[in-house]
Amino acid sequence: MYLVTYLPFYRIHEVETYFMRNVEVMKPKTAIVYVDNVYHEKQREILARVLSRNVEVRFGNWRNRNNTWLSMLRDFHTLGGEVMVVDSDNKVTEDLPRIHSELRDHPIYTILDEEAWKRNPQHFLIRSRKTGELSINGNTKPLYAYRVYDSSIGGLFRGGSVFFIGPKQVVVLMKLPEPEILDKVERALNSVDVWLRGFISDETLLGVIAHLVGIKEVPWTIASHHLHHGSTPGRATKLLVAAAHYQFAKGLVREFGRPEFRRYQLKYALSMVRNVG
């Protein structure tokens, strides 16, 4: 297994604070860190000095999580094995190696943090169905399946994206999207104004990609702790979020011409009208 995390340059301390502990728990074949916002030689010198020699460091200046993900997904094709991507401000639980052995037959599965599960499980349960339970180290954990595409009429008016991967503190990929799909999604993403791309969650991007490879539901359970970094200022302006999604959906319509992407575009056209004041 390859264990991966990704983070902007200003959060590189999270590699030592959290990720190296995840490496100890999961014992991967290789640990890889992707660092965004790296554009100067001095930054590369700093990374070489401060990051552990036990991890492979890859860097770029993608400037948002979604372009970083697309670069990572392309790279994963060259790795030739299972890939587990952990958010940089998460610590996985000791149960995750056993959970992985139970769920590795799925093309993709994800993990929710215990804090979100206690705080607001309905946020994920509204689009999930319970599929069973996992017996892990003497404890029972619920197993759910999250619907990545919300085709209901209510989905046009509810909060949240039409496409969404579900919980995403950990994403395990056993099946990768074809490069042609990544190329088209990247062109759609790059059609979004560069200042707006950060308003599109990577859960949405991954939901779109899962849908395109034919995955309707993604299994998930609870097995991490989210130690939120606290560096973001708060909720984004709804109009800017709607504009970013509208532009992304418009790009997807141009690239794929599928009716579900027209529906995605309609949702955020309505949202822009609703929030223009």
Side-chain angles (χ1 to χ4, degrees), residues 11-25:
R11 286 169 54 188
I12 57 173
H13 61 283
E14 293 176 351
V15 176
E16 297 294 338
T17 306
Y18 307 127
F19 185 63
M20 295 313 299
R21 188 261 177 191
N22 295 334
V23 172
E24 292 176 8
V25 172

Side-chain angles (χ1 to χ4, degrees), residues 204-235:
T204 292
L205 177 87
L206 293 171
V208 166
I209 291 172
H211 178 75
L212 286 169
V213 299
I215 296 172
K216 294 182 178 180
E217 294 181 317
V218 172
W220 63 273
T221 190
I222 307 103
S224 85
H225 293 286
H226 185 190
L227 300 116
H228 194 274
H229 55 87
S231 62
T232 50
R235 288 186 177 275

Side-chain angles (χ1 to χ4, degrees), residues 171-277:
V171 179
V172 180
L173 300 155
M174 312 298 290
K175 177 182 180 180
L176 294 171
E178 293 300 318
E180 182 183 1
I181 288 176
L182 296 178
D183 290 344
K184 289 184 175 184
V185 172
E186 185 172 50
R187 285 197 294 268
L189 180 65
N190 288 345
S191 70
V192 179
D193 187 286
V194 66
W195 299 107
L196 293 178
R197 289 178 208 166
F199 293 119
I200 302 169
S201 70
D202 39 356
E203 289 94 338
T204 292
L205 177 87
L206 293 171
V208 166
I209 291 172
H211 178 75
L212 286 169
V213 299
I215 296 172
K216 294 182 178 180
E217 294 181 317
V218 172
W220 63 273
T221 190
I222 307 103
S224 85
H225 293 286
H226 185 190
L227 300 116
H228 194 274
H229 55 87
S231 62
T232 50
R235 288 186 177 275
T237 303
K238 290 181 178 180
L239 180 59
L240 295 178
V241 173
H245 280 276
Y246 177 83
Q247 291 182 18
F248 184 39
K250 185 178 180 180
L252 291 170
V253 169
R254 183 175 59 252
E255 293 295 332
F256 296 97
R258 294 169 63 156
E260 60 266 38
F261 294 136
R262 297 185 189 278
R263 189 170 176 278
Y264 176 28
Q265 185 179 4
L266 173 61
K267 175 183 174 110
Y268 284 98
L270 293 172
S271 180
M272 282 194 295
V273 171
R274 199 163 54 241
N275 291 293
V276 74

Side-chain angles (χ1 to χ4, degrees), residues 9-10 39 41 54 83 102-103 145 151 175 184 248 264:
F9 181 79
Y10 69 88
Y39 54 88
E41 180 60 35
N54 296 323
V83 181
E102 295 285 330
L103 298 182
S151 59
K175 177 182 180 180
K184 289 184 175 184
F248 184 39
Y264 176 28

Side-chain angles (χ1 to χ4, degrees), residues 67-84:
N67 282 105
T68 304
W69 259 105
L70 288 167
S71 183
M72 293 194 310
L73 287 166
R74 280 201 182 86
D75 286 355
F76 294 164
H77 274 280
T78 68
L79 297 180
E82 305 169 356
V83 181
M84 176 179 288

